[in-house]
Amino acid sequence: MRLLLFTLLALLIATAVGLGATWMTATRGTDLGTLTIGAWTARPRTGTAEVDPYSRASIARSGELPVGTGDGVAFTATTDDRKKPLDGRCDVVVSGVTPAARFWTLTLYDTTGHLVANSLQRYGFTSQEIIRSSDGAFEVRIAARSRAGNWLPTGGIERYALMLRLYDTPVGVATRTQRDAPMPSIATVGCP
């Protein structure tokens, strides 16, 4: 009787640990195959047949459609370059250049993966519509209140994420450093 009780207790503990670990990796992801350049992170293998099982579970849970390797790569940022979380009440500047790509988009999402609601219905920029300086660099201001130039409204939400999708780009699994793929910088420039 005692052996049966210990066996059942061990099975319950193992089940709880297994389900907890699965839930954690499906909701928070893993660092398997992650490419990090500055504040930007990407998982270039997510759109391939070699995707790791944890990323596959995360994709199945979220329902997102990852960018395929032959199409491009998607980078996400939830902090600025100094590791400060992106706050919709603060002014954040994304500036610089992007790696070589035929087309790119920069989009603002809330922490659940939905577009950030705002009265202008402005959710991002594309490489074709952004205002650039003569050297090709750009500057996007992300703030709750209106700003001149390239401005993305946050609606004053507390936390958000930026997604930079590069289409038809050489950036991928072999990319390792800022020199290989010059990513735009992210800086928090003011908070109320």
Side-chain angles (χ1 to χ4, degrees), residues 76-79 86 107-111 116 157 159-163:
T76 306
T78 56
T79 65
L86 297 176
T107 314
L108 186 68
Y109 292 98
D110 64 17
T111 55
V116 173
I157 63 172
R159 298 282 179 258
Y160 64 88
L162 292 170
M163 184 168 289

Side-chain angles (χ1 to χ4, degrees), residues 47-48 67-72 167-169:
T48 69
V67 177
T69 297
D71 298 326
Y167 297 97
D168 196 11
T169 180

Side-chain angles (χ1 to χ4, degrees), residues 79-118:
T79 65
D80 64 12
D81 289 341
R82 294 184 174 177
K83 304 296 182 207
K84 181 179 179 186
L86 297 176
D87 189 333
R89 300 166 295 189
C90 300
D91 284 15
V92 173
V93 175
V94 178
S95 61
V97 295
T98 62
R102 184 176 305 254
F103 184 78
W104 59 261
T105 62
L106 178 67
T107 314
L108 186 68
Y109 292 98
D110 64 17
T111 55
T112 61
H114 296 98
L115 294 171
V116 173
N118 62 75

Side-chain angles (χ1 to χ4, degrees), residues 2-192:
R2 185 179 242 180
L3 179 62
L4 182 62
L5 187 61
F6 282 131
T7 303
L8 286 175
L9 181 63
L11 286 173
L12 282 174
I13 291 171
T15 301
V17 168
L19 289 174
T22 301
W23 179 80
M24 290 285 285
T25 56
T27 57
R28 296 189 182 162
T30 64
D31 285 339
L32 297 174
T34 299
L35 168 62
T36 302
I37 301 174
W40 301 97
T41 60
R43 292 187 175 90
R45 294 178 194 236
T46 301
T48 69
E50 293 98 33
V51 63
D52 66 270
Y54 300 109
S55 294
R56 188 182 308 253
S58 181
I59 292 167
R61 183 179 178 280
S62 70
E64 75 178 65
L65 183 62
V67 177
T69 297
D71 298 326
V73 65
F75 284 89
T76 306
T78 56
T79 65
D80 64 12
D81 289 341
R82 294 184 174 177
K83 304 296 182 207
K84 181 179 179 186
L86 297 176
D87 189 333
R89 300 166 295 189
C90 300
D91 284 15
V92 173
V93 175
V94 178
S95 61
V97 295
T98 62
R102 184 176 305 254
F103 184 78
W104 59 261
T105 62
L106 178 67
T107 314
L108 186 68
Y109 292 98
D110 64 17
T111 55
T112 61
H114 296 98
L115 294 171
V116 173
N118 62 75
S119 59
L120 293 178
Q121 296 183 346
R122 170 59 111 174
Y123 308 109
F125 284 101
T126 69
S127 55
Q128 295 177 340
E129 66 187 357
I130 199 158
I131 300 168
R132 299 173 191 263
S133 61
S134 60
D135 65 354
F138 64 89
E139 180 177 291
V140 175
R141 288 215 171 244
I142 302 167
R145 288 170 282 144
S146 177
R147 300 289 185 255
N150 300 317
W151 169 59
L152 282 177
T154 64
I157 63 172
E158 189 172 337
R159 298 282 179 258
Y160 64 88
L162 292 170
M163 184 168 289
L164 177 65
R165 292 181 182 92
L166 305 170
Y167 297 97
D168 196 11
T169 180
V171 176
V173 178
T175 305
R176 295 286 176 252
T177 65
Q178 179 79 9
R179 198 174 84 221
D180 296 338
M183 298 298 289
S185 65
I186 305 172
T188 301
V189 294
C191 285

